[in-house]
Amino acid sequence: MKLTPHVHTVFAAFFRQMRCHRLYTAINVMGLALGLAACLTFGLIARYEFTFDQWLHGARGIYRLDAVNVQDGRASEIADAPFRVYDALKAAFPEITHATRIRPDNISIITADDVRSSNALYVDPDFFETLPYPLVRGDAASALSAPNSIVLSEERARTYFHTINVIGQKLTVDHDGRKAELIVTGVLSHVPGNVTLQPDMLIPIDSAMLASPAFLQWGIEGGYVFCRLHAPSDAKRLQGAMVRFSLDHVPPQVRDAGELRDWRLRPLPSLHFLDGTLGISSASRNSVIMLGLIGLLALLSAIINTINLSTARGLLRAREVAMRKTLGATRGDLIIQFMGEAILLAACAAIPALALIEIAIPTINALGGWDVVIPYDLLIPALLVLVILVGMVAGTYPAFWLSAYQPARVLAASRMATMGRLGAVVRLGLVVIQFGFAIGLSVSSVVILRQSVFVRDMDRGFDRNGLLFIPFIDNIGTPTAQLALMDAFRNVPGVTTVSSFYTMPGDFGFSAADYFSPLNAPDQRPRLEWQDVGRDYFRLFGLHLIAGRLFDDAHGEDDQQKGKGIHSVVIDASSARALGYTTPQAALGQTIRKHTDRAPWHVIGVVNDVRLNSARSAPLPSIYFYSSMPYRFSSAGVRFENRPERDVEANLRTIWQSRAPDLAFSALLASDLLSHDYRGDERRGELLAIGAGVAIFIALMGMYALASFTVARRMLEVGIRKTLGATTARVLGLLLGQFLKPVLGAGLIGCTLAWVVMRNWLSGFDARIPLSPLYFAAVFAAALLVAALTVLFQTLNVARAEPARALRAE
């Protein structure tokens, strides 16, 4: 069998169908282009997410050491580790070839005309041997060997020096009030966006850091610890020895507090999604898999359109098939022809699909916070493979069905051939799958967006409006200097309240927790989050007093920095319950102890609960100590009213620069900090909505084309019905019912699947919306309405046609 005649026949038949049936060809091409574009776009996102850190040489041999604490009998993994483990780890395990501590911190960059804030990673000299980030300038072996060296990213080098040829240049930095002049010894090459650590600058850990508690105490997590092993197979042996390592090195009092009971060696390529489960990032493996499935299902929806339209139009080609068979064509010849036509149709959709991908990627990047780059060397071959696969899948059923016609029966029949009962059932099932996917996806996007709105607007126990924070004011100097700074802030027009504290909303700032117990019930030991707060803290956040009183400078025992003996403490309502008190009033006057220092505290007041953390996790009950002088890691909060935020921030910046000219000023709005809690879900909901829109549009295009063909075939039936007395409304209802029946079945299937998926997704939130039936009913009703409007014009024209015209047309 020669190929050339088949090729000629395929192209001739394809272009003939294009010329004679322009509408159906356009709908098919548009649907396949949207399907291909959605599949490849979401596929690029999935590839981006699943290849985090894999570009780094030897990534599978690099591990992060995570600490495992035990709270209330439950193991809790944290990505941070105490830096005290660093030397002990290298000494205990010769399988570790290189290791580095990594301490993320914020520093001030001092230039001739400005002071800027920047993120920096303080690391050990072994950093590049452990994590081999490429350098575009400098030598990785010696770049971090000198204590006064600094390695910049390309972006930072251009920002500060307007060039990347900066080796030997000097940069003045201020960290925790310590000014230093550092020499640039290297410039990092631009790295892909899908990397766990993307440093702006690398600085060697200095002697002052090595003497700090974070580097000396086992109970303080200082940052990350990464190590490189001889071989990935060594990780299993090391993991098995970690409990013994903890017993040998961690002090008993730290282990008794539930800390550092075990360790986890986590390979670098697994950290992206792992950090999402640990609450460090918003990465979600399930969300990425869902996006990939959306792309595949959108393509499947387009294929279903092509199959349905090919079989529907194929009914008109029955006589063509019969004539070709009569003239000697075999069934194989016809299968090749119809499969070839389907592949050519998919090929016609490839070019507009590429254009849609080019348009979609920047928008998708902006929505999801990605940095996806279109790899044409991978995309073009993938598109060609998809074109062939899609053409074969979309053409198989029509090709085998059409080629099976018997010439004698078709040519002897006075009417158009039909698909039979089985063919009608298959087409109905495909439409149900198509609309079921679109409806289920639409419901899911509505629920996710509603949950993100709920988290955004939920009552967190404090007023977020007119509230901003200046983190870590302890960098400015002594406690006296910090008090003077806050007094100056109070004089800014519009400012009503200023106070100091540890923990900011959105899990920002410093936080601490410990076990507390009532003096008369030492076995009751709930874990409570505690922080030192300054004057007017409760007024700053707008907390409500439920029982007792708040801190007052007139009561000397309130201030833990004054006098000795039992000091005062304020707890929230959840802490009162956790400590075993039946009512807030019952907690007043009680004495409680803190586990680590056994100091007694006298409860003087109970305030309402606040949620500073994510809506996904249950907030720890809070307990407050009063300090008239700010402690280390203190931040300042400023409440203002009747003035624009930018004007208040400008005044605060001026005050800061007058008192700390070498320190960069940073102000964070409460609303911005809390946006991290819902922004990721909001973006996912928007992406799902885009996918749902594409799926619905493809399904509606297919329904429109099928409707136009079906109503044309039923002209004779309509004419007879109207001749026998059927009204226009009755005929219209009959035709609409035929098209809307599969949508009804699809709605039931789609809503059921969406309910299962969304119920599971919402269970991951401590604060969540109820899964209301209204979401499902609204989407279902909208799908029915849009489907009805899509076919209404065509069915209305047929239903209103005069019987004589309908019969004459037939």
Short mmCIF file of all heavy atoms in Angstrom, two decimals, residues 772-798:
data_model
loop_
_atom_site.label_atom_id
_atom_site.label_comp_id
_atom_site.label_asym_id
_atom_site.label_seq_id
_atom_site.Cartn_x
_atom_site.Cartn_y
_atom_site.Cartn_z
N SER A 772 -21.78 25.14 52.09
CA SER A 772 -23.20 25.40 51.87
C SER A 772 -23.69 24.82 50.55
O SER A 772 -23.00 24.91 49.53
CB SER A 772 -23.45 26.91 51.89
OG SER A 772 -24.76 27.21 51.49
N PRO A 773 -24.91 24.26 50.53
CA PRO A 773 -25.50 23.79 49.26
C PRO A 773 -25.75 24.93 48.28
O PRO A 773 -25.91 24.68 47.09
CB PRO A 773 -26.83 23.17 49.71
CG PRO A 773 -26.68 22.89 51.17
CD PRO A 773 -25.76 23.94 51.69
N LEU A 774 -25.77 26.17 48.77
CA LEU A 774 -26.04 27.30 47.88
C LEU A 774 -24.95 27.43 46.81
O LEU A 774 -25.24 27.84 45.67
CB LEU A 774 -26.12 28.59 48.69
CG LEU A 774 -27.34 28.74 49.61
CD1 LEU A 774 -27.26 30.02 50.41
CD2 LEU A 774 -28.63 28.69 48.80
N TYR A 775 -23.69 27.11 47.15
CA TYR A 775 -22.62 27.21 46.16
C TYR A 775 -22.89 26.25 45.01
O TYR A 775 -22.74 26.61 43.83
CB TYR A 775 -21.27 26.87 46.80
CG TYR A 775 -20.92 27.71 48.00
CD1 TYR A 775 -20.39 27.14 49.15
CD2 TYR A 775 -21.12 29.09 47.99
CE1 TYR A 775 -20.07 27.90 50.26
CE2 TYR A 775 -20.80 29.87 49.09
CZ TYR A 775 -20.28 29.26 50.23
OH TYR A 775 -19.96 30.04 51.32
N PHE A 776 -23.30 25.03 45.34
CA PHE A 776 -23.55 24.03 44.31
C PHE A 776 -24.79 24.39 43.50
O PHE A 776 -24.78 24.26 42.26
CB PHE A 776 -23.73 22.66 44.98
CG PHE A 776 -22.55 22.22 45.78
CD1 PHE A 776 -22.40 22.60 47.11
CD2 PHE A 776 -21.57 21.42 45.22
CE1 PHE A 776 -21.30 22.20 47.85
CE2 PHE A 776 -20.48 21.01 45.95
CZ PHE A 776 -20.33 21.40 47.27
N ALA A 777 -25.85 24.83 44.18
CA ALA A 777 -27.08 25.18 43.48
C ALA A 777 -26.86 26.36 42.54
O ALA A 777 -27.38 26.37 41.40
CB ALA A 777 -28.17 25.50 44.50
N ALA A 778 -26.11 27.36 42.99
CA ALA A 778 -25.89 28.54 42.16
C ALA A 778 -25.11 28.19 40.90
O ALA A 778 -25.46 28.63 39.79
CB ALA A 778 -25.14 29.60 42.97
N VAL A 779 -24.03 27.39 41.04
CA VAL A 779 -23.24 27.01 39.87
C VAL A 779 -24.06 26.13 38.94
O VAL A 779 -24.02 26.29 37.70
CB VAL A 779 -21.95 26.30 40.32
CG1 VAL A 779 -21.21 25.72 39.11
CG2 VAL A 779 -21.05 27.26 41.07
N PHE A 780 -24.82 25.20 39.52
CA PHE A 780 -25.65 24.30 38.72
C PHE A 780 -26.68 25.10 37.92
O PHE A 780 -26.86 24.90 36.71
CB PHE A 780 -26.35 23.31 39.65
CG PHE A 780 -27.01 22.15 38.97
CD1 PHE A 780 -26.76 21.87 37.64
CD2 PHE A 780 -27.89 21.34 39.66
CE1 PHE A 780 -27.36 20.79 37.01
CE2 PHE A 780 -28.50 20.27 39.05
CZ PHE A 780 -28.23 19.99 37.71
N ALA A 781 -27.35 26.04 38.57
CA ALA A 781 -28.35 26.86 37.89
C ALA A 781 -27.72 27.72 36.80
O ALA A 781 -28.28 27.87 35.70
CB ALA A 781 -29.07 27.75 38.91
N ALA A 782 -26.54 28.26 37.09
CA ALA A 782 -25.86 29.08 36.09
C ALA A 782 -25.47 28.25 34.87
O ALA A 782 -25.59 28.71 33.73
CB ALA A 782 -24.61 29.73 36.72
N ALA A 783 -25.00 27.01 35.11
CA ALA A 783 -24.63 26.13 33.99
C ALA A 783 -25.84 25.81 33.13
O ALA A 783 -25.77 25.84 31.88
CB ALA A 783 -24.01 24.85 34.52
N LEU A 784 -26.97 25.53 33.76
CA LEU A 784 -28.20 25.26 33.00
C LEU A 784 -28.62 26.48 32.19
O LEU A 784 -29.01 26.37 31.02
CB LEU A 784 -29.32 24.85 33.96
CG LEU A 784 -29.32 23.41 34.48
CD1 LEU A 784 -30.40 23.23 35.53
CD2 LEU A 784 -29.52 22.43 33.33
N LEU A 785 -28.55 27.65 32.83
CA LEU A 785 -28.97 28.87 32.15
C LEU A 785 -28.09 29.16 30.93
O LEU A 785 -28.58 29.46 29.84
CB LEU A 785 -28.93 30.04 33.12
CG LEU A 785 -29.28 31.42 32.54
CD1 LEU A 785 -30.71 31.42 32.02
CD2 LEU A 785 -29.10 32.50 33.60
N VAL A 786 -26.77 29.06 31.12
CA VAL A 786 -25.85 29.35 30.02
C VAL A 786 -26.02 28.33 28.90
O VAL A 786 -26.01 28.68 27.70
CB VAL A 786 -24.40 29.37 30.53
CG1 VAL A 786 -23.43 29.49 29.37
CG2 VAL A 786 -24.19 30.53 31.49
N ALA A 787 -26.18 27.05 29.26
CA ALA A 787 -26.39 26.02 28.24
C ALA A 787 -27.69 26.28 27.48
O ALA A 787 -27.75 26.13 26.25
CB ALA A 787 -26.43 24.64 28.90
N ALA A 788 -28.75 26.66 28.19
CA ALA A 788 -30.03 26.94 27.54
C ALA A 788 -29.91 28.13 26.59
O ALA A 788 -30.43 28.11 25.47
CB ALA A 788 -31.11 27.20 28.59
N LEU A 789 -29.24 29.18 27.04
CA LEU A 789 -29.07 30.36 26.18
C LEU A 789 -28.24 30.03 24.95
O LEU A 789 -28.44 30.63 23.88
CB LEU A 789 -28.42 31.49 26.98
CG LEU A 789 -29.28 32.11 28.09
CD1 LEU A 789 -28.48 33.14 28.87
CD2 LEU A 789 -30.54 32.74 27.51
N THR A 790 -27.27 29.11 25.10
CA THR A 790 -26.40 28.76 23.98
C THR A 790 -27.19 28.16 22.82
O THR A 790 -26.92 28.44 21.65
CB THR A 790 -25.31 27.77 24.45
OG1 THR A 790 -24.55 28.38 25.50
CG2 THR A 790 -24.39 27.38 23.31
N VAL A 791 -28.18 27.32 23.13
CA VAL A 791 -28.93 26.63 22.07
C VAL A 791 -30.30 27.25 21.83
O VAL A 791 -31.03 26.81 20.94
CB VAL A 791 -29.09 25.13 22.43
CG1 VAL A 791 -27.73 24.47 22.56
CG2 VAL A 791 -29.89 24.95 23.70
N LEU A 792 -30.65 28.28 22.62
CA LEU A 792 -32.01 28.82 22.54
C LEU A 792 -32.32 29.41 21.17
O LEU A 792 -33.39 29.18 20.60
CB LEU A 792 -32.21 29.88 23.63
CG LEU A 792 -33.60 30.53 23.66
CD1 LEU A 792 -34.67 29.48 23.95
CD2 LEU A 792 -33.64 31.65 24.71
N PHE A 793 -31.40 30.18 20.62
CA PHE A 793 -31.67 30.87 19.36
C PHE A 793 -31.95 29.87 18.24
O PHE A 793 -32.91 30.02 17.48
CB PHE A 793 -30.48 31.75 18.98
CG PHE A 793 -30.66 32.49 17.69
CD1 PHE A 793 -31.52 33.58 17.61
CD2 PHE A 793 -29.99 32.08 16.54
CE1 PHE A 793 -31.70 34.25 16.41
CE2 PHE A 793 -30.17 32.75 15.34
CZ PHE A 793 -31.02 33.83 15.28
N GLN A 794 -31.13 28.81 18.16
CA GLN A 794 -31.32 27.83 17.10
C GLN A 794 -32.62 27.05 17.30
O GLN A 794 -33.38 26.84 16.36
CB GLN A 794 -30.13 26.86 17.08
CG GLN A 794 -28.84 27.55 16.67
CD GLN A 794 -27.64 26.66 16.92
OE1 GLN A 794 -27.66 25.83 17.83
NE2 GLN A 794 -26.60 26.83 16.13
N THR A 795 -32.89 26.61 18.52
CA THR A 795 -34.11 25.84 18.77
C THR A 795 -35.35 26.72 18.61
O THR A 795 -36.40 26.25 18.15
CB THR A 795 -34.08 25.26 20.19
OG1 THR A 795 -33.83 26.30 21.14
CG2 THR A 795 -33.00 24.20 20.32
N LEU A 796 -35.25 27.99 18.96
CA LEU A 796 -36.39 28.88 18.83
C LEU A 796 -36.74 29.09 17.36
O LEU A 796 -37.93 29.11 16.99
CB LEU A 796 -36.09 30.22 19.50
CG LEU A 796 -37.23 31.23 19.56
CD1 LEU A 796 -38.41 30.65 20.35
CD2 LEU A 796 -36.77 32.54 20.19
N ASN A 797 -35.73 29.22 16.52
CA ASN A 797 -35.99 29.40 15.09
C ASN A 797 -36.71 28.19 14.51
O ASN A 797 -37.64 28.32 13.70
CB ASN A 797 -34.67 29.61 14.34
CG ASN A 797 -34.19 31.04 14.46
OD1 ASN A 797 -34.95 31.93 14.81
ND2 ASN A 797 -32.91 31.26 14.18
N VAL A 798 -36.27 26.99 14.93
CA VAL A 798 -36.90 25.77 14.40
C VAL A 798 -38.31 25.63 14.95
O VAL A 798 -39.26 25.29 14.23
CB VAL A 798 -36.04 24.53 14.76
CG1 VAL A 798 -36.77 23.25 14.37
CG2 VAL A 798 -34.70 24.61 14.05
#
